[in-house]
Each structure stands twice: as C-alpha cells, then as structure tokens.
Amino acid sequence: MSRRLLFAIVAVFLVSVDALAGGTVADGLRAGLSKATNASDSLKILFDVYDSSPQKDKDAVGWQILDVASRINEQDVLLEFLPQMTMLNLKNDEKMRDLLVLAEKIEDSQQRKGVKTFININRAVNEASFLTESERQHALLKYAKTNISAKDADLYDEILNLGRVLVFIGVESKSNMYLEYLARFENLVEQLPEDSYYIRNLYYTTAANAHTFNGNYEKALEIERKLINVIKGLEDKYRKKGRKYRNYDRYYYLSYRRMLRNYRGLTFDDVEDLYSKCAMFADRNEDIHEDFYVMGRPTVYRLMAGKEYKEAVPKIKSALTYVDDRNIRRDLLRMLVLASDSVGDNETLLKALKDYNAVLQESLLRRSEESYREMQIRYDVNKLKSENNRLELEKKDTEVVTGQKLVSIILAALLVLALIVMLLYRSHFSLKQKNRDLRKENERLHTYIKELLDDGLPSGTKDLRK
C-alpha cells in the first residue's frame, strides 16, 4: 500500500470517527489513528474504538473496519464483523445486500456459505416485517416450496430454506406448527461447526423467546444456558487475542434477563444470583443501566419470585409504561393482578383486571386468528408436499417408462448383435472349411507335381554315368 493511500485512509478515519458521539475511552483511542503507520495498525485501533463505543455508535466504526479489512483481505476480520454488522442493520435491507457482496470475499467456501446464510435469514426477518398479510402468505409458500423441493441441498442451504419458512410462520403463529419447525431447525443447527456460532446464537435467542412465550420454562432455560456457554467461549477467544475492550456485558444481561422472565422454572437462589449479575452489569455499562434501573423488569421478576408483592406493585406499574411487546405486557399485567390481589390493593387490582382482561381477549382473538392461519398454512404446505410427491411419482413413472424403453432397445440391440455374431460365426466356419479344402487340394497338387518331376532314381542316389 502506498504512503499516500495510507494517509488518505487515515484521514477518512479521523474525519468520520470524530463525528461519532462516543465515550471518553473511545475518544482517546480515536486519537491514536493519526499515529498508525499502516492499515493493519489502523485496524487494531479501530477494533478498540468499536469495542469501547456505546451500542448506538458501533455501526459507523464497524463499516470502517469492514472497508479496511476488505482492502487488505483480512479474512478473520470479515468473518467476525459481517455477522455483527448484520445485527446492527437488521432493518436496512440495502446495507444487508452490501454485506452479502462483502461476504463473497470470504475465501473458505463453508464459512462463506455460513455467513451468507446468516445474512439471508435476517433479510427474511426484515422482509416479513414489512409485507402485508397476503404478501407474507405468498412469500411463505414460495419459501416452503423451495424447502420441500430441495433434495440434494447442503447443510447451509437446508438451514436457509427452513429458516426462512420459520421466520414467516413465526409472524403468523408461534404455537404448535412454529415449535415443530423450530425443532427441525434445531436438529440442523446442532450439525454446524463451532465457528458458525452466529447462526447457533440466532437459533438460541429465537427458541428461548418462543418457549418462554409458550410457557415451556425448562426448555427456555436450557437453551439460554447453551447460549451463555457460547458467549463465554467468544469472550475467552477475544481476550486471548488481546481485545481488552471487547465486552459481552450486554449479551450476558439480555440472556440473564430472559432467564429471570422464566423465574417460575428457577429456584429463588438462582433468581437472586441472576439478579445480582444483572445489577453488576448495569452498574458498569451505560447501555444496560437504563434498562435495569429505569425500565426495571429484572427487579419485577426478582420481587415476584420472592413473593414480595407490596414492593412489586409500583415496580410493575413503572415497567408497564416502557413496554411495547404485547406478550411481555400480558405477563406484567398477570403479575400485577396477582401482586395487587395479594396485598389487598383493590384499586390497582380493578384496573389491572380490566387491562388484563382486555389483553386476554385480544390474545384469544389473536390465537383464534393464528389457529385459522396455521390451519391454512398447514393446508397450503401439505398441498405443496402432495404436489411435490405427485411430481416425484410422475418423474419416477417417466423414469420407469424410459427405463423400460431403454431395456427394450438394449434387448433388441442384443438380439441383432447375436444374429450378426451367428452370421459371422457361420461365415467364419464356412471360411475355415474352404481353407481346409484348399489346403488339402494344395497338398494333392503338390504330390502330383512331385510325381510328374520324378526321374525314376531312388531317393538320395544319382546316376553314376553322369
């Protein structure tokens, strides 16, 4: 790389990174970019800037890292940052398409497939959230048809095909059919190599939320523990690489918070331990602090697990003002009904019951609609399977008929060949007979000539007179 190009890259970095609103650590690290002597040194500094930046500032730095990594062909950096940047751009399909272009630069074919599969599944999530109901139905059937008809697909193609179907079913329903497809998806994910952790994490997060929604607390907790083990592995990996600012507090916190939501499947000691960890992360991470202390759901779960209903009532009321997710809102209202009833707070209980009843009515109506849509999806998918089976049978019948015709042609050819062989053999036999007759005639003629040329002297003597 020329010195002029190096200075140009560093200048771009300085201008663009200075525009970011980072913390003091990230600001101090950015200043070091002016001292970088090559692109590799710039990358090391940008890693620390990225790792130390608040969540809202990571995207801009991440794109700079990918730009440099693609220029100097840093394969490990591409493999690390393409999945991360996908998660930071979930609602931007144009940027995810750009990430797919960059993924083509990954040299290892299996790792390239893995990263592209991850990006494309998340593109399906983005697609499903913006389509109308009829458009989603059409897209679901399109992906279901691909999933059904793909026979010799490799593992990553299977995961992509099934993953897109799972995404679109999940928009319509998260009941039995969704869990069935989720179980099939799990079987595929467990076959992935260890370095495809980003797809495995995607499954773990999706499955944990689905099982929590359906009240399968034990299964949800089991999956969360697997996810935490993956996070620990990544934390150790980057610590050994010297990434001192690499921080997984946010990921631990989100996982522990989901576990606390399943407090009915935990012992109180487990709840206390998880809550203490959440508090520790909140005290040292500004991205987590507001969620823990202001929105306050971990505190609600701990108080409910400990049956501290009097303290729980105001916390639940406060948490409800920050919740948009209707399933979490339903859970919080159920807790508020229980807590307010237990402490005799009739005013709160009456309002909570009204709100909870309205949510339940909405939930029942939604479940009814989901059941209908699930039946429709099952019908359409089964119809696709039947059509695919019919086509397969027709294909096999055609192959059988073609095979039978081929056998008939081969047998006819063999018969003709046998006749030709017989004719050749007969001709050969006649030729041999003629050859034998000619040989005998030749011998007879030879003998006759000898007799004609014989002078009457005994063999081996001569006429002395001569």
Side-chain angles (χ1 to χ4, degrees):
M1 179 181 292
S2 70
R3 194 170 185 81
R4 182 181 294 178
L5 176 60
L6 173 63
F7 285 143
I9 292 175
V10 172
V12 171
F13 287 159
L14 287 172
V15 171
S16 52
V17 214
D18 283 342
L20 300 175
T24 55
V25 174
D27 286 337
L29 292 168
R30 289 188 194 103
L33 284 169
S34 60
K35 300 176 183 178
T37 57
N38 54 53
S40 295
D41 289 343
S42 296
L43 268 182
K44 291 176 184 176
I45 296 170
L46 283 170
F47 288 157
D48 288 342
V49 173
Y50 179 88
D51 292 341
S52 61
S53 292
Q55 193 69 15
K56 62 185 175 62
D57 295 337
K58 288 185 182 294
D59 184 62
V61 185
W63 282 107
Q64 293 171 349
I65 290 172
L66 282 177
D67 179 56
V68 179
S70 65
R71 289 170 187 264
I72 62 175
N73 196 30
E74 281 287 348
Q75 292 290 304
D76 288 344
V77 178
L78 292 174
L79 287 170
E80 176 190 348
F81 276 88
L82 283 169
Q84 289 191 53
M85 295 304 292
T86 300
M87 299 308 294
L88 290 174
N89 291 278
L90 284 177
K91 296 182 178 179
N92 192 326
D93 192 66
E94 183 179 352
K95 286 190 175 182
M96 283 198 276
R97 288 198 301 270
D98 293 339
L99 292 172
L100 279 175
V101 173
L102 287 174
E104 291 294 341
K105 296 184 180 240
I106 298 174
E107 294 170 358
D108 184 279
S109 61
Q110 293 302 303
Q111 291 179 328
R112 183 170 62 249
K113 283 181 181 178
V115 171
K116 290 178 69 177
T117 296
F118 179 78
I119 296 172
N120 280 319
I121 290 176
N122 281 290
R123 286 188 70 200
V125 174
N126 189 47
E127 179 187 6
S129 62
F130 288 104
L131 294 178
T132 64
E133 184 177 332
S134 60
E135 289 171 336
R136 279 198 301 269
Q137 189 75 6
H138 178 75
L140 170 59
L141 293 178
K142 178 184 70 174
Y143 292 136
K145 186 174 182 179
T146 303
N147 182 49
I148 291 167
S149 58
K151 294 299 179 186
D152 299 319
D154 68 9
L155 178 60
Y156 289 106
D157 287 336
E158 286 188 71
I159 288 173
L160 175 58
N161 292 335
L162 185 59
R164 289 188 296 200
V165 174
L166 185 65
V167 165
F168 276 83
I169 291 177
V171 175
E172 304 295 343
S173 168
K174 284 189 170 60
S175 51
N176 293 335
M177 188 178 187
Y178 182 75
L179 295 179
E180 290 169 18
Y181 275 83
L182 197 61
R184 287 173 55 192
F185 194 69
E186 179 181 15
N187 292 333
L188 294 176
V189 166
E190 294 300 332
Q191 300 175 44
L192 286 169
E194 187 176 347
D195 56 17
S196 293
Y197 64 88
Y198 38 86
I199 299 178
R200 191 173 285 108
N201 288 0
L202 176 65
Y203 160 73
Y204 287 151
T205 303
T206 302
N209 285 325
H211 287 295
T212 298
F213 171 79
N214 285 283
N216 303 329
Y217 306 125
E218 293 299 329
K219 183 66 175 176
L221 291 166
E222 174 193 334
I223 292 169
E224 287 291 356
R225 292 185 182 106
K226 289 181 179 180
L227 177 57
I228 288 169
N229 285 334
V230 175
I231 296 172
K232 286 179 179 176
L234 291 171
E235 190 174 42
D236 293 340
K237 172 184 174 181
Y238 289 109
R239 185 184 295 116
K240 290 175 183 176
K241 285 188 172 185
R243 297 277 289 275
K244 57 185 177 181
Y245 296 103
R246 183 74 166 175
N247 190 295
Y248 283 91
D249 288 359
R250 181 172 178 272
Y251 303 100
Y252 279 122
Y253 176 80
L254 292 175
S255 191
Y256 291 148
R257 189 183 67 183
R258 285 193 298 266
M259 291 181 76
L260 283 171
R261 187 180 170 190
N262 291 283
Y263 65 87
R264 283 174 286 183
L266 295 166
T267 66
F268 187 67
D269 287 342
D270 289 336
V271 170
E272 286 280 273
D273 179 57
L274 290 169
Y275 182 78
S276 297
K277 289 175 179 175
C278 287
M280 175 187 69
F281 293 136
D283 288 339
R284 70 188 192 193
N285 189 306
E286 62 178 288
D287 288 332
I288 298 170
H289 188 275
E290 182 179 5
D291 185 275
F292 183 83
Y293 285 106
V294 180
M295 300 178 186
R297 274 167 37 216
T299 301
V300 169
Y301 300 141
R302 184 189 67 81
L303 292 172
M304 292 301 296
K307 298 183 179 179
E308 300 176 47
Y309 298 128
K310 185 176 182 180
E311 293 81 359
V313 169
K315 294 292 184 183
I316 298 172
K317 287 181 178 179
S318 174
L320 279 166
T321 62
Y322 297 100
V323 171
D324 293 324
D325 186 284
R326 58 192 178 194
N327 297 317
I328 295 175
R329 181 174 178 79
R330 181 197 61 195
D331 287 351
L332 289 173
L333 286 171
R334 177 188 55 77
M335 295 176 200
L336 186 58
V337 168
L338 173 60
S340 58
D341 184 44
S342 298
V343 298
D345 185 347
N346 293 327
E347 182 180 351
T348 300
L349 175 60
L350 181 60
K351 186 176 186 311
L353 281 171
K354 287 181 179 179
D355 292 342
Y356 188 48
N357 183 61
V359 168
L360 285 180
Q361 289 292 333
E362 180 190 351
S363 179
L364 286 171
L365 179 61
R366 192 171 63 251
R367 282 293 182 101
S368 177
E369 292 173 351
E370 286 179 358
S371 296
Y372 172 76
R373 284 196 292 268
E374 182 177 315
M375 288 175 62
Q376 184 65 44
I377 292 170
R378 282 187 186 276
Y379 172 77
D380 291 336
V381 170
N382 288 334
K383 187 177 177 181
L384 283 175
K385 288 180 179 178
S386 298
E387 178 67 14
N388 189 65
N389 290 336
R390 184 184 66 78
L391 293 174
E392 285 291 323
L393 287 173
E394 286 181 359
K395 182 181 177 183
K396 287 179 181 178
D397 289 342
T398 303
E399 289 172 352
V400 168
V401 171
T402 304
Q404 288 173 343
K405 288 180 180 178
L406 186 60
V407 169
S408 299
I409 293 170
I410 292 172
L411 288 174
L414 288 174
L415 180 59
V416 172
L417 183 61
L419 290 172
I420 293 172
V421 169
M422 288 175 65
L423 291 171
L424 289 173
Y425 180 76
R426 185 173 178 180
S427 299
H428 179 66
F429 180 78
S430 299
L431 188 61
K432 283 182 70 177
Q433 185 66 37
K434 287 180 181 180
N435 190 44
R436 192 162 45 246
D437 292 343
L438 287 172
R439 192 182 298 114
K440 287 180 180 180
E441 182 65 19
N442 185 57
E443 289 174 354
R444 188 183 66 77
L445 289 173
H446 184 68
T447 303
Y448 178 71
I449 292 169
K450 280 183 69 178
E451 289 175 353
L452 286 175
L453 297 174
D454 188 2
D455 57 5
L457 292 176
S459 178
T461 66
K462 64 180 179 176
D463 188 349
L464 293 176
R465 292 173 298 179
K466 296 178 180 180

